[in-house]
């Protein structure tokens, strides 16, 4: 079966660092994505990991451990505009289809 | 490129009516995906196409739902008859193909309300 778990909600302070965790159990694995979705808008691509380790892109970093079925998204120097839902998604063995987690709603307070 | 274009942006209809949602993928993208998003169930894949051919429709909830892709630049998702529980945001996404990251690009979505 397919199962992707991430916290439902998180709150953090402007300027701080926050880590959003994702664990997955899927039939096959061909990469893990993180998408950002602002309220009322479409999801937009943030990061992609297929090998173990850390991928850094500006204020955002994403980590993957395939043996543990675990990933996290790290957001640094938080800004108010980072308030959004963050969706973890895993590409299965078909290499075309991705399964989304329910998302983590991140609220940033001043 | 204009990105993935969906229409209409909002649709309000009465139970029992037919609803047709439309999508124009990014030119050159070989894959097209239809998703449904609700608070309760999150983002669910309904069906996806590769080169206009339906590949996996296991997420289509019932026979009331159907999707077509008559050519590379147009797809429709039809609900007939519609029911209140179909109320959701429906997203269309396209991707360039099974290369590298194969990122999916989403349209703005259609917010459907069935009364």
């Amino acid at each position: 079966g397919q199962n992707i778990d991430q916290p439902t909600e998180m709150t953090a302070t402007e300027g701080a660092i926050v880590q959003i965790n994702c664990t997955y159990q899927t039939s096959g694995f061909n990469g893990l994505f993180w998408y950002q979705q602002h309220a009322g808008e479409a999801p937009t691509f943030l990061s992609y990991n297929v090998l173990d380790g850390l991928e850094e892109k500006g204020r955002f970093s994403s980590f993957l451990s395939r043996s543990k079925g675990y990933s996290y998204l790290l957001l640094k120097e938080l800004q108010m505009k980072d308030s959004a839902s963050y969706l973890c998604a895993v590409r299965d063995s078909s290499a075309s289809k991705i399964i989304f987690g329910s998302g983590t709603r991140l609220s940033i307070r001043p | 490129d204009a990105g993935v274009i969906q229409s209409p942006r909002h649709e309000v209809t009465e139970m029992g009516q037919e609803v047709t949602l439309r999508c124009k993928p990014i030119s050159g993208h070989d894959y097209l995906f239809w998703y449904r998003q609700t608070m309760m169930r999150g983002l669910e894949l309904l069906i996806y196409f590769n080169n206009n051919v339906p590949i996996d429709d296991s997420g289509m909830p019932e026979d009331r739902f159907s999707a077509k892709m008559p050519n590379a630049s147009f797809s429709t998702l039809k609900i007939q008859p519609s029911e209140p529980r179909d109320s959701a945001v429906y997203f269309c996404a396209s991707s360039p193909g099974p290369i590298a990251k194969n990122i999916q690009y989403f349209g703005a979505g259609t917010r459907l309300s069935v009364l």
Side-chain angles (χ1 to χ4, degrees), chain B residues 75-107:
Chain B
S75 176
T76 59
L77 178 68
K78 187 175 294 186
I79 309 173
Q80 165 65 18
S82 59
E83 297 182 3
R85 60 189 166 134
D86 302 331
S87 297
V89 180
Y90 290 81
F91 287 104
C92 175
S94 70
S95 68
I99 53 172
K101 301 175 184 178
N102 199 15
I103 298 166
Q104 293 187 15
Y105 297 85
F106 285 76

Side-chain angles (χ1 to χ4, degrees), chain B residues 3-113:
Chain B
V4 177
I5 300 172
Q6 292 187 246
S7 64
R9 289 295 310 277
H10 303 274
E11 177 80 30
V12 180
T13 190
E14 292 186 346
M15 182 174 63
Q17 297 297 306
E18 176 179 297
V19 174
T20 299
L21 312 180
R22 297 172 175 80
C23 175
K24 176 179 167 48
I26 293 172
S27 177
H29 282 192
D30 293 334
Y31 286 80
L32 183 140
F33 305 81
W34 281 102
Y35 291 89
R36 176 173 68 176
Q37 187 173 41
T38 61
M39 288 292 293
M40 290 297 295
R41 300 174 68 90
L43 194 61
E44 302 173 279
L45 177 66
L46 300 177
I47 185 171
Y48 79 93
F49 296 82
N50 177 23
N51 291 324
N52 315 336
V53 176
I55 302 300
D56 184 345
D57 65 354
S58 59
M60 295 286 262
E62 305 170 29
D63 291 345
R64 297 185 297 106
F65 286 68
S66 62
K68 295 181 180 180
M69 192 165 186
N71 57 63
S73 59
F74 183 66
S75 176
T76 59
L77 178 68
K78 187 175 294 186
I79 309 173
Q80 165 65 18
S82 59
E83 297 182 3
R85 60 189 166 134
D86 302 331
S87 297
V89 180
Y90 290 81
F91 287 104
C92 175
S94 70
S95 68
I99 53 172
K101 301 175 184 178
N102 199 15
I103 298 166
Q104 293 187 15
Y105 297 85
F106 285 76
T110 296
R111 183 172 297 276
L112 173 65
S113 297

